[in-house]
Amino acid sequence: MRYTEEHEWLRVEGDVVVVGITEHAAEQLGDVVFVELPEIEAMVAKGDEVCVIESVKAASDILAPVDGEIVAVNEALSDTPGLVNEDPQGDAWFFKMKLDDLSVLDEFMTEDEYKDFLG
Amino acid sequence: MPDPDLKRTILHPLHVALGAKLVPFAGYEMPVQYPMGVMKEHLHTRASAGLFDVSHMGQVILRPKTGMAALELGLEALMPVAVQGLQEGRQRYGLFTNVAGGILDDLMFANRGDHILIVVNAACKHADIAHMRAHLAEVAEVEPVTDRALLALQGPEAEAVLAGLVPQVRAMRFMDVITVDTLYGALWISRSGYTGEDGFEISLPEARAEDFARTLLAHEAVAPIGLGARDSLRLEAGLCLYGHDIDEETTPVAAGLSWAIQKPRRAGGAREGGFPGAAQILAELETGAQKQRVGLRPEGRAPMREGVILWDAPEGGQAIGRITSGGFGPSVEAPVAMGYLPAAMAAPGTRLWGELRGKRLPATVCTLPFRPSTYKR
């Protein structure tokens, strides 16, 4: 598992990477009431706003952590956005991306580095 | 880091001890939520009872200089509301207006026998006090109450919980006010609140406020509730938030608050007009205001929040209004919003489109409140 400074987690499954938000991010957001997911087969560039999360407090974006193609989205979040609070690092993944080169993930933080980053 | 410019209520240490997340609000550092979270706090208040610290609000005593009658008439010169005729032991909703008919603040006032107690919004309290001092000097001493906390206990269990300490509250109806001497000092209790639930607002000496709050919180039925849930509760109840749904640019009629203007102050009434903005407001009572506050139900799950622009068509068309309060309604389990529309487009059932992140999403005008209130009338 790798982590971004935007509080996303990235998990490699075969040749795709699964993206979600960390427990810390979910806690900061508060109760999530709406999730807008990207389109499957969309080509996205690092930094693109690919998802919208609305909590009881505010709207936030999830950015594409790397360049690639969206190959799957977690439809369960559309009907049950509260899953993001219940299981942010498990069932509440947001989307899966296919990358040309998985080695780009090496630039992201390890779990220990992320813990240090949170302080 | 604590902001040294922010004031704190006497219950600040309790909020910290309860694990509250604190945010700046109207010059105070206030709890926006506790560990339970906004959604659960909201639902808990509707199902059981919630305790809110509203000590940041302004409590002001108006003590008559030459008798209550003169004070009542003096106050009527600042509000389109009937002050005369409010019986001792009763409270009423009021509004200060400006010469254009706009709203300077909304408030509660109570006839407490030998004086009037006013409770105003935190963000407006200094302006309100100056306003009253400027205009009521002949008829009243304007005495800000600075040594009392203000708590709200709201929800279906509020009566049972408070009656455990103050049995007299069982006999109160909505908008009754009483004073009771207790272990916690003199409690000024009104059966009112701003959540759409039955409940009470309790003013008490600061020195005993934390003890009192802890005693209430010791009940299984009671949880501490932050400003986040206070906002979603009042939104579902269709109640206006000053500075958002009402302000100096909105009149009481446009805001759907005509019910607060009693007959004696209207055209043909015994004390018709005579308040700031009377020409505008009385005319609007006859013919309606150009714009109107409405309830809106966005289709789908995406909340439409304050600032969202409303359009009369999914593409092209005209921008016709704006959302002034919006979010997710935990009890209605859907997004809810309030905003202003031209009167001709304000009929319930009208479909329109809110612009969200560059997309226009449909919403329907609906009647307010989103959830019926449960006041004990």
mmCIF file with all atom_site columns, all heavy atoms in Angstrom, chain B residues 144-159:
data_model
loop_
_atom_site.group_PDB
_atom_site.id
_atom_site.type_symbol
_atom_site.label_atom_id
_atom_site.label_alt_id
_atom_site.label_comp_id
_atom_site.label_asym_id
_atom_site.label_entity_id
_atom_site.label_seq_id
_atom_site.pdbx_PDB_ins_code
_atom_site.Cartn_x
_atom_site.Cartn_y
_atom_site.Cartn_z
_atom_site.occupancy
_atom_site.B_iso_or_equiv
_atom_site.pdbx_formal_charge
_atom_site.auth_seq_id
_atom_site.auth_comp_id
_atom_site.auth_asym_id
_atom_site.auth_atom_id
_atom_site.pdbx_PDB_model_num
ATOM 1   N N   . PRO B 1 144 ? -27.232 44.483 28.591 1.00 0.00 ? 144 PRO B N   1
ATOM 2   C CA  . PRO B 1 144 ? -26.732 43.184 28.107 1.00 0.00 ? 144 PRO B CA  1
ATOM 3   C C   . PRO B 1 144 ? -26.473 42.261 29.298 1.00 0.00 ? 144 PRO B C   1
ATOM 4   O O   . PRO B 1 144 ? -25.951 42.696 30.332 1.00 0.00 ? 144 PRO B O   1
ATOM 5   C CB  . PRO B 1 144 ? -25.415 43.536 27.408 1.00 0.00 ? 144 PRO B CB  1
ATOM 6   C CG  . PRO B 1 144 ? -25.516 44.995 27.101 1.00 0.00 ? 144 PRO B CG  1
ATOM 7   C CD  . PRO B 1 144 ? -26.347 45.591 28.204 1.00 0.00 ? 144 PRO B CD  1
ATOM 8   N N   . VAL B 1 145 ? -26.881 41.015 29.166 1.00 0.00 ? 145 VAL B N   1
ATOM 9   C CA  . VAL B 1 145 ? -26.688 40.030 30.230 1.00 0.00 ? 145 VAL B CA  1
ATOM 10  C C   . VAL B 1 145 ? -25.365 39.331 29.948 1.00 0.00 ? 145 VAL B C   1
ATOM 11  O O   . VAL B 1 145 ? -25.247 38.615 28.961 1.00 0.00 ? 145 VAL B O   1
ATOM 12  C CB  . VAL B 1 145 ? -27.844 39.013 30.240 1.00 0.00 ? 145 VAL B CB  1
ATOM 13  C CG1 . VAL B 1 145 ? -27.616 37.944 31.296 1.00 0.00 ? 145 VAL B CG1 1
ATOM 14  C CG2 . VAL B 1 145 ? -29.174 39.723 30.454 1.00 0.00 ? 145 VAL B CG2 1
ATOM 15  N N   . THR B 1 146 ? -24.360 39.581 30.793 1.00 0.00 ? 146 THR B N   1
ATOM 16  C CA  . THR B 1 146 ? -23.021 39.057 30.473 1.00 0.00 ? 146 THR B CA  1
ATOM 17  C C   . THR B 1 146 ? -22.562 37.972 31.448 1.00 0.00 ? 146 THR B C   1
ATOM 18  O O   . THR B 1 146 ? -21.463 37.466 31.324 1.00 0.00 ? 146 THR B O   1
ATOM 19  C CB  . THR B 1 146 ? -21.992 40.205 30.493 1.00 0.00 ? 146 THR B CB  1
ATOM 20  O OG1 . THR B 1 146 ? -22.078 40.853 31.765 1.00 0.00 ? 146 THR B OG1 1
ATOM 21  C CG2 . THR B 1 146 ? -22.272 41.214 29.392 1.00 0.00 ? 146 THR B CG2 1
ATOM 22  N N   . ASP B 1 147 ? -23.415 37.638 32.410 1.00 0.00 ? 147 ASP B N   1
ATOM 23  C CA  . ASP B 1 147 ? -22.983 36.669 33.419 1.00 0.00 ? 147 ASP B CA  1
ATOM 24  C C   . ASP B 1 147 ? -23.851 35.414 33.420 1.00 0.00 ? 147 ASP B C   1
ATOM 25  O O   . ASP B 1 147 ? -23.915 34.684 34.394 1.00 0.00 ? 147 ASP B O   1
ATOM 26  C CB  . ASP B 1 147 ? -22.995 37.315 34.804 1.00 0.00 ? 147 ASP B CB  1
ATOM 27  C CG  . ASP B 1 147 ? -24.365 37.880 35.156 1.00 0.00 ? 147 ASP B CG  1
ATOM 28  O OD1 . ASP B 1 147 ? -25.278 37.817 34.296 1.00 0.00 ? 147 ASP B OD1 1
ATOM 29  O OD2 . ASP B 1 147 ? -24.532 38.372 36.286 1.00 0.00 ? 147 ASP B OD2 1
ATOM 30  N N   . ARG B 1 148 ? -24.541 35.170 32.297 1.00 0.00 ? 148 ARG B N   1
ATOM 31  C CA  . ARG B 1 148 ? -25.388 33.987 32.217 1.00 0.00 ? 148 ARG B CA  1
ATOM 32  C C   . ARG B 1 148 ? -25.084 33.207 30.954 1.00 0.00 ? 148 ARG B C   1
ATOM 33  O O   . ARG B 1 148 ? -24.862 33.778 29.890 1.00 0.00 ? 148 ARG B O   1
ATOM 34  C CB  . ARG B 1 148 ? -26.873 34.369 32.233 1.00 0.00 ? 148 ARG B CB  1
ATOM 35  C CG  . ARG B 1 148 ? -27.320 35.027 33.545 1.00 0.00 ? 148 ARG B CG  1
ATOM 36  C CD  . ARG B 1 148 ? -28.770 35.434 33.487 1.00 0.00 ? 148 ARG B CD  1
ATOM 37  N NE  . ARG B 1 148 ? -29.691 34.316 33.658 1.00 0.00 ? 148 ARG B NE  1
ATOM 38  C CZ  . ARG B 1 148 ? -30.116 33.863 34.837 1.00 0.00 ? 148 ARG B CZ  1
ATOM 39  N NH1 . ARG B 1 148 ? -29.713 34.422 35.954 1.00 0.00 ? 148 ARG B NH1 1
ATOM 40  N NH2 . ARG B 1 148 ? -30.951 32.851 34.890 1.00 0.00 ? 148 ARG B NH2 1
ATOM 41  N N   . ALA B 1 149 ? -25.077 31.881 31.094 1.00 0.00 ? 149 ALA B N   1
ATOM 42  C CA  . ALA B 1 149 ? -24.949 30.990 29.945 1.00 0.00 ? 149 ALA B CA  1
ATOM 43  C C   . ALA B 1 149 ? -26.337 30.755 29.362 1.00 0.00 ? 149 ALA B C   1
ATOM 44  O O   . ALA B 1 149 ? -27.355 31.039 30.012 1.00 0.00 ? 149 ALA B O   1
ATOM 45  C CB  . ALA B 1 149 ? -24.331 29.666 30.381 1.00 0.00 ? 149 ALA B CB  1
ATOM 46  N N   . LEU B 1 150 ? -26.382 30.249 28.131 1.00 0.00 ? 150 LEU B N   1
ATOM 47  C CA  . LEU B 1 150 ? -27.652 29.889 27.502 1.00 0.00 ? 150 LEU B CA  1
ATOM 48  C C   . LEU B 1 150 ? -27.503 28.510 26.869 1.00 0.00 ? 150 LEU B C   1
ATOM 49  O O   . LEU B 1 150 ? -26.591 28.286 26.066 1.00 0.00 ? 150 LEU B O   1
ATOM 50  C CB  . LEU B 1 150 ? -28.030 30.934 26.445 1.00 0.00 ? 150 LEU B CB  1
ATOM 51  C CG  . LEU B 1 150 ? -29.437 30.834 25.849 1.00 0.00 ? 150 LEU B CG  1
ATOM 52  C CD1 . LEU B 1 150 ? -30.513 31.016 26.916 1.00 0.00 ? 150 LEU B CD1 1
ATOM 53  C CD2 . LEU B 1 150 ? -29.639 31.878 24.741 1.00 0.00 ? 150 LEU B CD2 1
ATOM 54  N N   . LEU B 1 151 ? -28.367 27.603 27.288 1.00 0.00 ? 151 LEU B N   1
ATOM 55  C CA  . LEU B 1 151 ? -28.337 26.229 26.767 1.00 0.00 ? 151 LEU B CA  1
ATOM 56  C C   . LEU B 1 151 ? -29.661 25.934 26.093 1.00 0.00 ? 151 LEU B C   1
ATOM 57  O O   . LEU B 1 151 ? -30.694 26.474 26.490 1.00 0.00 ? 151 LEU B O   1
ATOM 58  C CB  . LEU B 1 151 ? -28.148 25.225 27.911 1.00 0.00 ? 151 LEU B CB  1
ATOM 59  C CG  . LEU B 1 151 ? -26.866 25.357 28.724 1.00 0.00 ? 151 LEU B CG  1
ATOM 60  C CD1 . LEU B 1 151 ? -26.881 24.370 29.889 1.00 0.00 ? 151 LEU B CD1 1
ATOM 61  C CD2 . LEU B 1 151 ? -25.679 25.081 27.823 1.00 0.00 ? 151 LEU B CD2 1
ATOM 62  N N   . ALA B 1 152 ? -29.626 25.087 25.088 1.00 0.00 ? 152 ALA B N   1
ATOM 63  C CA  . ALA B 1 152 ? -30.869 24.599 24.494 1.00 0.00 ? 152 ALA B CA  1
ATOM 64  C C   . ALA B 1 152 ? -30.902 23.089 24.655 1.00 0.00 ? 152 ALA B C   1
ATOM 65  O O   . ALA B 1 152 ? -29.917 22.410 24.369 1.00 0.00 ? 152 ALA B O   1
ATOM 66  C CB  . ALA B 1 152 ? -30.950 24.987 23.019 1.00 0.00 ? 152 ALA B CB  1
ATOM 67  N N   . LEU B 1 153 ? -32.022 22.586 25.146 1.00 0.00 ? 153 LEU B N   1
ATOM 68  C CA  . LEU B 1 153 ? -32.240 21.148 25.266 1.00 0.00 ? 153 LEU B CA  1
ATOM 69  C C   . LEU B 1 153 ? -33.412 20.825 24.342 1.00 0.00 ? 153 LEU B C   1
ATOM 70  O O   . LEU B 1 153 ? -34.526 21.311 24.560 1.00 0.00 ? 153 LEU B O   1
ATOM 71  C CB  . LEU B 1 153 ? -32.557 20.780 26.715 1.00 0.00 ? 153 LEU B CB  1
ATOM 72  C CG  . LEU B 1 153 ? -32.714 19.280 27.001 1.00 0.00 ? 153 LEU B CG  1
ATOM 73  C CD1 . LEU B 1 153 ? -31.402 18.532 26.796 1.00 0.00 ? 153 LEU B CD1 1
ATOM 74  C CD2 . LEU B 1 153 ? -33.231 19.039 28.424 1.00 0.00 ? 153 LEU B CD2 1
ATOM 75  N N   . GLN B 1 154 ? -33.153 20.047 23.302 1.00 0.00 ? 154 GLN B N   1
ATOM 76  C CA  . GLN B 1 154 ? -34.120 19.890 22.222 1.00 0.00 ? 154 GLN B CA  1
ATOM 77  C C   . GLN B 1 154 ? -34.362 18.407 21.927 1.00 0.00 ? 154 GLN B C   1
ATOM 78  O O   . GLN B 1 154 ? -33.425 17.610 21.956 1.00 0.00 ? 154 GLN B O   1
ATOM 79  C CB  . GLN B 1 154 ? -33.576 20.562 20.952 1.00 0.00 ? 154 GLN B CB  1
ATOM 80  C CG  . GLN B 1 154 ? -33.272 22.049 21.127 1.00 0.00 ? 154 GLN B CG  1
ATOM 81  C CD  . GLN B 1 154 ? -34.510 22.911 21.014 1.00 0.00 ? 154 GLN B CD  1
ATOM 82  O OE1 . GLN B 1 154 ? -35.110 23.002 19.966 1.00 0.00 ? 154 GLN B OE1 1
ATOM 83  N NE2 . GLN B 1 154 ? -34.912 23.530 22.125 1.00 0.00 ? 154 GLN B NE2 1
ATOM 84  N N   . GLY B 1 155 ? -35.607 18.097 21.585 1.00 0.00 ? 155 GLY B N   1
ATOM 85  C CA  . GLY B 1 155 ? -35.910 16.726 21.195 1.00 0.00 ? 155 GLY B CA  1
ATOM 86  C C   . GLY B 1 155 ? -37.032 16.137 22.022 1.00 0.00 ? 155 GLY B C   1
ATOM 87  O O   . GLY B 1 155 ? -37.430 16.713 23.046 1.00 0.00 ? 155 GLY B O   1
ATOM 88  N N   . PRO B 1 156 ? -37.559 14.974 21.577 1.00 0.00 ? 156 PRO B N   1
ATOM 89  C CA  . PRO B 1 156 ? -38.728 14.390 22.233 1.00 0.00 ? 156 PRO B CA  1
ATOM 90  C C   . PRO B 1 156 ? -38.526 14.028 23.710 1.00 0.00 ? 156 PRO B C   1
ATOM 91  O O   . PRO B 1 156 ? -39.489 13.974 24.465 1.00 0.00 ? 156 PRO B O   1
ATOM 92  C CB  . PRO B 1 156 ? -39.024 13.137 21.398 1.00 0.00 ? 156 PRO B CB  1
ATOM 93  C CG  . PRO B 1 156 ? -37.816 12.901 20.573 1.00 0.00 ? 156 PRO B CG  1
ATOM 94  C CD  . PRO B 1 156 ? -37.152 14.212 20.383 1.00 0.00 ? 156 PRO B CD  1
ATOM 95  N N   . GLU B 1 157 ? -37.278 13.803 24.137 1.00 0.00 ? 157 GLU B N   1
ATOM 96  C CA  . GLU B 1 157 ? -37.029 13.463 25.542 1.00 0.00 ? 157 GLU B CA  1
ATOM 97  C C   . GLU B 1 157 ? -36.696 14.699 26.391 1.00 0.00 ? 157 GLU B C   1
ATOM 98  O O   . GLU B 1 157 ? -36.455 14.576 27.594 1.00 0.00 ? 157 GLU B O   1
ATOM 99  C CB  . GLU B 1 157 ? -35.878 12.462 25.651 1.00 0.00 ? 157 GLU B CB  1
ATOM 100 C CG  . GLU B 1 157 ? -36.147 11.110 24.997 1.00 0.00 ? 157 GLU B CG  1
ATOM 101 C CD  . GLU B 1 157 ? -37.293 10.369 25.658 1.00 0.00 ? 157 GLU B CD  1
ATOM 102 O OE1 . GLU B 1 157 ? -37.436 10.480 26.893 1.00 0.00 ? 157 GLU B OE1 1
ATOM 103 O OE2 . GLU B 1 157 ? -38.051 9.695  24.941 1.00 0.00 ? 157 GLU B OE2 1
ATOM 104 N N   . ALA B 1 158 ? -36.675 15.873 25.765 1.00 0.00 ? 158 ALA B N   1
ATOM 105 C CA  . ALA B 1 158 ? -36.237 17.079 26.494 1.00 0.00 ? 158 ALA B CA  1
ATOM 106 C C   . ALA B 1 158 ? -37.118 17.337 27.708 1.00 0.00 ? 158 ALA B C   1
ATOM 107 O O   . ALA B 1 158 ? -36.627 17.639 28.798 1.00 0.00 ? 158 ALA B O   1
ATOM 108 C CB  . ALA B 1 158 ? -36.236 18.291 25.556 1.00 0.00 ? 158 ALA B CB  1
ATOM 109 N N   . GLU B 1 159 ? -38.442 17.212 27.541 1.00 0.00 ? 159 GLU B N   1
ATOM 110 C CA  . GLU B 1 159 ? -39.344 17.495 28.657 1.00 0.00 ? 159 GLU B CA  1
ATOM 111 C C   . GLU B 1 159 ? -39.086 16.562 29.839 1.00 0.00 ? 159 GLU B C   1
ATOM 112 O O   . GLU B 1 159 ? -38.959 17.004 30.983 1.00 0.00 ? 159 GLU B O   1
ATOM 113 C CB  . GLU B 1 159 ? -40.809 17.381 28.212 1.00 0.00 ? 159 GLU B CB  1
ATOM 114 C CG  . GLU B 1 159 ? -41.767 17.709 29.345 1.00 0.00 ? 159 GLU B CG  1
ATOM 115 C CD  . GLU B 1 159 ? -43.217 17.346 29.026 1.00 0.00 ? 159 GLU B CD  1
ATOM 116 O OE1 . GLU B 1 159 ? -43.896 18.181 28.417 1.00 0.00 ? 159 GLU B OE1 1
ATOM 117 O OE2 . GLU B 1 159 ? -43.646 16.237 29.395 1.00 0.00 ? 159 GLU B OE2 1
#
